[in-house]
Amino acid sequence: MTVREMVFVVALCVGPPCWANDAGPQQLSAGESASLRVLKSLPREWSRSSKRDCRTYEDKNIDRLSPAFAASAAAFLTAFVETHGHVTITSAHRTAEEQTCVCDGERGPCAGRPRIVKGKKGRRYVKRTTSRHQGGIALDVRAGTGSDEEYACMHEFAQLNPQFGVHFPMGQRDRPHMEPSTTMPLTFRLASLGFVRRTIMPCTKMRTMLTDHALD
């Protein structure tokens, strides 16, 4: 599927109501099925940031993504691969049990892990949060071999191409974590209908992602 075809798929559903979906697998349209096929065609593996391989990158986890976010992610990653090269999906949708598994051994804050919070008058209580992965609106994606330069390029690519409707809100704190943007530019909706031709902007400091795989 070409970038232009994927752009049209993303435009099928725009605006915040289309992003949230924690109901699990849904009956998919032809366009949405194409998005899932694109995501499943990309390399997928364990990030090794937790103690165990929780296998949150499998087909079942891709299938549970919000259809609109899957379309956005597929379009963005298609464009990124065509422009800069290699990416690997390391995590998609997570059940509550899978989220607990991922938090085991994860360095730093992890949504779903209970933590003690100090409240008013020094009282302490247990606070739990829910990951965007559990809502099907987050993907963890490694750029190339996962170097600082490659992640910086992928983040910049998202900033330079807001028409794909994704961003990396955690920045350096959680570099692979990608979510849908809260808004989608009007120019992107017009581009999907053929009124505006949006040029894809490459990142400025790096041209090609590195890869652990031998090149043909």
Side-chain angles (χ1 to χ4, degrees):
M1 176 170 286
T2 66
V3 173
R4 185 173 178 81
E5 289 169 334
M6 289 307 304
V7 165
F8 178 76
V9 170
V10 178
L12 293 176
C13 182
V14 296
C18 299
W19 298 133
N21 170 37
D22 55 5
Q26 297 183 357
Q27 186 174 357
L28 303 176
S29 71
E32 289 159 354
S33 296
S35 301
L36 296 182
R37 286 196 297 272
V38 168
L39 295 177
K40 291 176 183 179
S41 72
L42 294 171
R44 290 176 279 157
E45 66 180 21
W46 177 31
S47 67
R48 301 187 179 278
S49 62
S50 55
K51 287 185 178 179
R52 294 173 286 158
D53 182 358
C54 304
R55 309 191 72 83
T56 60
Y57 48 79
E58 295 182 339
D59 284 1
K60 68 182 188 309
N61 304 89
I62 299 291
D63 287 336
R64 296 190 193 114
L65 290 172
S66 157
F69 176 54
S72 293
F76 172 79
L77 294 175
T78 296
F80 185 77
V81 169
E82 289 182 0
T83 306
H84 292 293
H86 194 72
V87 296
T88 303
I89 293 176
T90 59
S91 190
H93 177 274
R94 302 170 188 163
T95 63
E97 292 77 15
E98 288 170 336
Q99 182 65 26
T100 299
C101 177
V102 168
C103 285
D104 185 13
E106 183 82 23
R107 295 184 296 273
C110 185
R113 177 193 291 150
R115 56 193 178 95
I116 304 298
V117 176
K118 189 175 181 179
K120 294 181 179 179
K121 299 181 180 180
R123 294 179 179 176
R124 298 178 182 272
Y125 60 96
V126 177
K127 183 176 181 179
R128 297 177 183 269
T129 55
T130 301
S131 169
R132 292 294 184 94
H133 287 276
Q134 292 171 256
I137 50 173
L139 269 179
D140 285 349
V141 185
R142 183 174 65 238
T145 60
S147 68
D148 291 343
E149 294 79 9
E150 290 169 308
Y151 273 120
C153 177
M154 185 167 64
H155 291 190
E156 184 187 17
F157 191 81
Q159 293 172 350
L160 293 173
N161 298 280
Q163 66 269 30
F164 292 113
V166 302
H167 68 151
F168 293 83
M170 306 299 288
Q172 291 298 312
R173 289 185 297 145
D174 190 354
R175 298 182 300 179
H177 186 85
M178 181 172 72
E179 294 182 8
S181 300
T182 54
T183 59
M184 190 169 293
L186 175 62
T187 54
F188 180 50
R189 293 198 291 267
L190 294 175
S192 69
L193 299 175
F195 299 128
V196 176
R197 202 177 191 95
R198 184 84 181 228
T199 300
I200 293 174
M201 301 294 293
C203 65
T204 57
K205 296 182 180 180
M206 191 170 191
R207 182 174 180 180
T208 304
M209 296 295 99
L210 303 176
T211 177
D212 293 327
H213 304 292
L215 298 176
D216 293 334

